[in-house]
Structures are given as C-alpha cells and as structure tokens.
Amino acid sequence: MTELAESLLRGLGTGSVYALLALGFVIIYKATRVISFAQPAFMLAGAVLVTYLAGPVGFWVAVPVAAVLTAGLALGVERVAVRPMVGRPAFVVAIITLGVDVAVRVVVNGFIGLDVRHVGDPWGLRTVAVPGTAIDLQQRHLAALLATAVLIAGLFAFFRYTRMGLAMRAAAYDQEAALAQGVSVGAVFALSWGLAGGLAAVAGTFAAAGASVDAALWLIALTALPVIILGGLDSLPGAVVGGLAVGTIQELTASYQQHAPWLGGNVSVISPYVLMLLVLLVRPYGLFGTREVERV
C-alpha cells in the first residue's frame, strides 16, 4: 500500500509538469486554432535561463524572471513568424512552429554546452514524510504540485475576472464576433503565446529539479501531446486532468511493470499513448473536448 501511495504522489508531481505544458498548448489552440509545436523549445529555453540566473539572483527570483523572458521570446516568435500567417491554413502555421522549435532548441543547446547545468532548486532528491504514515514524498514533486495549483488558480482568476481574460474567452468562442465587439484579436494571439511560453518555462524548471538540464529535456514535452488529446484539445480543465492522469498512469506503470516482464522494460514510456488510444476509442474528442457539429 505504501508503494502504491508513493507511486500515486510521484505521478501527481510528474503530472503537474505535463499539465503546465498542456495548458500552454490548449491556450494557444483556443486563441488561434493552431497547435503550436514550439512548446518543447520554450520549455528548454526557460530551464536553461534558470540555470544561468539561479546563481546570481537565487532560484526563487530566477524562475519568475525566466518565465517572463521566455514569455517575451514566445511573443517575439508569434509576432515575427506566426502573425504574418494569419488566415493561412492551420497546418501551415503548425509546420512553421515545428521549424521554430528546432531553430530555438539549436540555439539554446549552444548555451547548455558540455558542463552539467542545474536549475539550483532547493529540494534536490530530498523527501518528506507524510504525517501519520510511512509514505515518503520527494519535495520536488510536492513543490511542482503546489506551484501548478497556484498557477491554475491564477489562470482561472485571470480568465474569469479580468477584461483581457474575458476578451480571450470571447475570441476563443468566435473570433469574428469578438472582433466586431472591439476585441483586439491580435493582442489575444500575442498574450496566448506569452502565457504558453511562461508556463513552459516553469514546467521545464520543475522537470529539471533534482536532476540536470541537458539537450534531451525537451523530450518530456512530447508527453504533453497525448495529454491534450486525452483531456480535449480545447479544454483547460481537460489539460489539467489529463496531465495528472497521464503522470499517475506513467508512474504506476513504472512501479509495477516488473510484474509483467514479457512487456519489456520501458512500458511506462508508451503508457501515455496507450491511455490516449483507449480514451479516443470511446471519446474521439477527449474527456472534456468540444464535439464538433457539422451541418449537411
């Protein structure tokens, strides 16, 4: 039972990182109807920025500064590479984001170099005991879970109570109607990319906590793809639920895969995709996605 509980808690911590990444994907998709494949590059860029800033200013200052700088990078990409393509087919813009992802990662890899780089987090691999139990939880997973909860609450308040949040919700529902009501759709596009970039930077930092930052860190972001399909491509709650579900399933599979050696030793790697396929068989639009209605 203790092993099961520890696996669940690890899964929630890992799933928090996936949820932050998935939220970025969904925010951009809701605003622009384009899937941005540049999120892995923003995640890597944010983590590398933290490794450079953590020494001079400390971890707690480095994370928000890196998030803001990565948001600025995402804004620049949107303005230079994506905005001129408004009105073009969505798959063309998606391919452009693939190119942006590769280009940004190549540049960022040059800043990683050959040295081992750490984000300077205060948790490392230390654990904390759950009171009254024999369950140990890694502090980095607890921190990721708490940070994700705070950011989700902030996003909810932003979309619910601010004029810009309302404008983004209106543009997501109907861009032409929002434009007719005076909403600056261009500002909505830019802000969605900025938010996604900032979230990716925080996700990259927690993904690298207790470990090191290397050129392969971006691969973690690929797991966010089954997350957004699982939760629903246009659903923010779906991104959160999908992220936590995928993280939990992945950790449970990693913990118990030795009981099915005939499946091989890396079943946990493919478990998110298996879960996604199973859900899509019964809910093609994901758990919380909007079903498209076509008139014939």
Side-chain angles (χ1 to χ4, degrees), residues 4-280:
L4 175 62
E6 290 179 346
S7 297
L8 287 172
L9 291 173
R10 280 199 306 274
L12 292 175
T14 305
S16 299
V17 174
Y18 297 154
L20 290 176
L21 288 165
L23 282 170
F25 278 103
V26 172
I27 287 172
I28 289 180
Y29 180 79
K30 285 176 71 71
T32 65
R33 296 298 168 187
V34 170
I35 298 177
S36 168
F37 293 102
Q39 284 297 92
F42 296 145
M43 172 189 177
L44 183 62
V48 171
L49 277 170
V50 173
T51 66
Y52 278 92
L53 294 170
V57 301
F59 176 78
W60 298 108
V61 176
V63 175
V65 171
V68 171
L69 292 176
T70 308
L73 172 64
L75 279 172
V77 168
E78 188 277 335
R79 195 69 184 89
V80 173
V82 178
R83 185 75 65 87
M85 302 302 293
V86 170
R88 304 296 177 87
F91 79 92
V92 174
V93 185
I95 295 299
I96 288 176
T97 64
L98 267 177
V100 169
D101 174 67
V102 174
V104 172
R105 280 193 290 109
V106 167
V107 174
V108 173
N109 287 342
F111 288 92
I112 295 176
L114 300 177
D115 296 330
V116 177
R117 306 200 64 83
H118 298 280
V119 293
D121 64 285
W123 310 293
L125 297 177
R126 287 191 293 275
T127 61
V128 58
V130 177
T133 69
I135 300 170
D136 290 328
L137 170 64
Q138 288 192 7
Q139 295 178 8
R140 58 175 180 162
H141 290 148
L142 178 61
L145 196 57
L146 293 175
T148 301
V150 170
L151 288 173
I152 290 173
L155 282 175
F156 172 80
F158 171 75
F159 287 121
R160 180 69 177 84
Y161 298 110
T162 67
R163 291 179 61 86
M164 196 61 203
L166 180 61
M168 293 185 73
R169 289 165 54 199
Y173 185 76
D174 190 325
Q175 288 184 6
E176 292 184 358
L179 194 61
Q181 294 298 317
V183 172
S184 173
V185 176
V188 169
F189 288 175
L191 185 57
S192 66
W193 275 77
L195 286 174
L199 290 171
V202 177
T205 302
F206 281 104
S212 60
V213 177
D214 57 34
L217 182 68
W218 69 279
L219 292 172
I220 295 176
L222 295 183
T223 310
L225 292 175
V227 168
I228 59 175
I229 301 300
L230 174 68
L233 200 52
D234 60 350
S235 172
L236 294 175
V240 178
V241 174
L244 297 178
V246 165
T248 302
I249 292 297
Q250 198 172 33
E251 287 295 334
L252 287 175
T253 306
S255 297
Y256 293 100
Q257 64 184 5
Q258 73 271 17
H259 297 296
W262 48 273
L263 288 174
N266 293 314
V267 185
S268 62
V269 176
I270 64 170
S271 59
Y273 303 93
V274 174
L275 177 63
M276 178 189 72
L277 288 174
L278 292 176
V279 171
L280 289 182

